[in-house]
Amino acid sequence: MSRRRDTMRLGAFLYPGGHHVAAWRHPSSQADAGIDPAHYRRLARVAEAAKFDLIFLADGVSIRGDDIDALSRTAIRYVGQFEPLTLLSHLSAVTERIGLVATASTTYNEPFHVARKFASLDHLSGGRAGWNLVTSADPREAYNFSRESHLAHARRYARAEEFVDVVAGLWDTFEDDAFVRDREEGRFFDPAKLHVLGHEGEHFSVRGPLNVPRPPQGHPVVVQAGSSEAGKALAARTAEIVFTAQATLEDATAFYADVKGRLGRHGRDPDALKILPGAFPVVGRTQGEAEDKYGALQELIHPVVGRSLLEQLAGLDLSGHPDDAPVPEASGTEGGKSRQDLLVTIARREGLTIRDLYLRIAGARGHWTLIGTPARIADALQERFEAHGADGFNIMPPTLPGGLDDFATLVIPELQRRGLFRTEYEGTTLRENLGLHRPRHRRHAPSRTA
């Protein structure tokens, strides 16, 4: 297998007590982690010491699920945790190099709010902010924003296409050197370097100007987390990182080639986009130890929680179907299309029952599960990286803080020994560390194919 000339990019995807659905019940996790700033400060410092590219926080603007009994037994449905931009602003003060990426939906936000908040985070952190652009998948979010129904999938993505253009335009309100702050002359900024957006479109009417100077990175790094056809089209035009779920090497290399192959249509180089599939590693010093760790977590899954998680992620109605029945067809909800398709495909391919499938997804929720020694996990990551199935990985620790500690102290040194991961940060901004160019202000940038 030929060696790539670049190295892996790694994100630390943090859920409060860990990604496994039963993580909060495990004695090594912290049950109240979601509202403990000291917990997050520790995680951020561990991730930065290990030279991760970024910390990533997912988000949703509703509690995911209507079954109160199931909700009361889980800690991974955005229950009992901080709003992510507020938390990342706090973590920016205790870190220096690691990127800070948070989710903000284009479905239930306004472009001006998103542009202002992420520009502010970029300034607070010295150029380390990233925006994970998503279209809301959970229809319950509509009820919190004066809507009786969720927007259809196609309309959500049409809105997102325009949304990201408006945000980018607002980030370019001021040129980089607009703020002269000349006390003697009495001039705070150069009015010739202020550009009013004046956007009028199908979904938004946004005059501007943004009231925050241009971010240190020019634009915070734009991340995208959808793998549907509409999601891939949006990513090829706008994203600089893609988070995705790919269960097999074949699926990963096909997705990688597909998305990278689309960039040329928009005048973009393939290296302008980094693809980071999720990876859920259970690390042990021996294979038996790793399998025992995973088994102990699986034993903590309450059946009510497993079924509820499967209904929510796969768009399934399991009422009337016992645990040992085959997985039924998806109900066609307007949720996350790519994840629904992935999970039903896995069930059909492997002949899984409802119980089999909810046990399968309880940790990684459709992402890649790796159980083994540091060398074995490094082998798997290296194979997918060098086969051009990924530019790196969004690491999903099963429990926290222990799962992140295990990966940082056991797997990362193995990747470094193989020359696959950095030993020092390349720069001070997230763009520099990812090897991404700083976008020129649109007034000075060459025109690009839309």
Side-chain angles (χ1 to χ4, degrees), residues 61 105-110 136 138-143 145 147 149-151 156 159 163:
V61 286
S105 170
T106 60
T107 309
Y108 298 113
N109 274 298
E110 291 293 321
S136 290
D138 195 320
R140 298 167 191 83
E141 297 189 12
Y143 309 144
F145 294 89
R147 293 187 58 88
S149 62
H150 199 35
L151 292 177
R156 293 204 310 272
R159 176 183 166 97
F163 193 112

Side-chain angles (χ1 to χ4, degrees), residues 146-358:
S146 306
R147 293 187 58 88
E148 294 183 359
S149 62
H150 199 35
L151 292 177
H153 189 268
R155 186 160 180 80
R156 293 204 310 272
Y157 272 94
R159 176 183 166 97
E161 290 275 1
E162 186 177 338
F163 193 112
V164 70
D165 290 341
V166 175
V167 169
L170 289 169
W171 283 334
D172 281 347
T173 290
F174 292 99
E175 295 182 39
D176 290 316
D177 57 352
F179 283 81
V180 293
R181 299 183 180 91
D182 187 334
R183 289 188 172 111
E184 184 174 338
E185 180 66 23
R187 181 75 69 187
F188 192 59
F189 68 84
D190 183 345
K193 296 184 177 183
L194 165 67
H195 304 279
V196 177
L197 180 62
H199 175 87
E200 295 287 343
E202 179 183 356
H203 301 276
F204 303 105
S205 175
V206 181
R207 179 183 180 274
L210 188 67
N211 56 352
V212 180
R214 194 165 192 252
Q217 295 185 100
H219 298 171
V221 173
V222 176
V223 184
Q224 201 267 341
S227 299
S228 66
E229 186 61 30
K232 289 186 286 189
L234 178 62
R237 188 174 74 83
T238 65
E240 295 165 299
I241 299 176
V242 168
F243 293 150
T244 182
Q246 305 298 329
T248 68
L249 177 60
E250 181 181 13
D251 290 342
T253 55
F255 178 86
Y256 187 97
D258 182 5
V259 175
K260 293 271 189 170
R262 299 172 187 234
L263 269 67
R265 306 173 198 173
H266 305 285
R268 303 182 66 197
D269 186 274
D271 288 338
L273 175 66
K274 310 298 180 184
I275 296 178
L276 274 60
F280 175 90
V282 183
V283 188
R285 295 183 184 276
T286 66
Q287 185 66 30
E289 180 185 329
E291 291 171 358
D292 288 346
K293 284 183 178 181
Y294 185 66
L297 282 167
Q298 293 291 89
E299 289 176 3
L300 296 174
I301 301 169
H302 195 289
V304 168
V305 173
R307 289 175 65 93
S308 176
L309 179 68
L310 185 53
E311 287 184 323
Q312 185 256 315
L313 284 179
L316 299 173
D317 180 1
L318 299 181
S319 57
H321 297 275
D323 278 5
D324 57 0
V327 175
E329 293 296 329
S331 59
T333 63
E334 285 293 342
K337 297 291 191 184
S338 57
R339 190 60 56 83
Q340 291 175 8
D341 292 344
L342 172 68
L343 296 180
V344 173
T345 296
I346 290 172
R348 295 286 177 269
R349 183 170 61 212
E350 302 182 25
L352 303 181
T353 65
I354 288 171
R355 181 186 295 105
D356 292 335
L357 188 55
Y358 77 60

